[in-house]
């Protein structure tokens, strides 16, 4: 799936993505501006996790790089997704 073929978000998906991006980075926990929503499968907007640019696309630290920070923090996409949904719906805001 190339990005130009991505289907547009529904308003429900957009609302979900906005909520996710308001959470701290799922890997390093930073609340700095500019967090991005990483789609675990491109175009599936309900399985997104909040990442700072470095944990997302950083050459060394990022998911789309060498995943150094992911390894240090012992994070997986599935774990991050679970933690993200827990923060949104489980009432365990931290
Ligand atoms: Zn991060
Ligand atoms: Zn991504």
């Amino acid at each position: 799936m190339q990005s130009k073929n991505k289907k547009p978000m529904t308003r429900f998906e957009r609302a979900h993505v906005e909520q996710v991006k308001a959470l701290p980075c799922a890997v390093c926990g930073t609340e700095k501006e500019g967090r991005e929503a990483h789609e675990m499968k491109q175009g599936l907007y309900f399985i997104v996790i909040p990442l700072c640019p470095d944990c997302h696309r950083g050459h060394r630290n990022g998911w789309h790089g060498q995943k150094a920070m992911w390894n240090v923090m012992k994070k997986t996409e599935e774990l991050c997704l679970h933690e993200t949904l827990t923060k949104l719906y489980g009432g365990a805001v931290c």
Side-chain angles (χ1 to χ4, degrees):
M1 239 188 287
Q2 291 307 306
S3 45
K4 64 178 175 182
N5 296 328
K6 270 168 112 171
K7 70 183 171 67
M9 282 187 217
T10 67
R11 63 196 163 99
F12 303 104
E13 288 167 337
R14 188 179 306 279
H16 180 71
V17 166
E18 288 307 313
Q19 273 191 301
V20 166
K21 287 200 293 192
L23 295 171
C25 173
V27 173
C28 73
T30 186
E31 298 189 61
K32 272 203 302 235
E33 284 297 297
R35 286 184 308 287
E36 303 168 348
H38 167 66
E39 296 151 33
M40 291 171 58
K41 288 261 190 284
Q42 213 176 56
L44 299 188
Y45 301 111
F46 283 128
I47 51 169
V48 290
I49 55 186
L51 295 176
C52 69
D54 195 37
C55 293
H56 191 195
R57 294 176 282 103
H59 176 67
R60 189 175 147 64
N61 286 330
W63 175 260
H64 300 287
Q66 294 170 19
K67 302 188 176 72
M69 185 62 83
W70 290 71
N71 292 331
V72 168
M73 303 302 282
K74 297 186 165 46
K75 295 284 187 170
T76 63
E77 284 182 304
E78 290 81 4
L79 178 59
C80 289
L81 179 64
H82 177 78
E83 291 175 350
T84 297
L85 294 176
T86 300
K87 283 177 189 168
L88 286 180
Y89 303 115
V93 177
C94 46

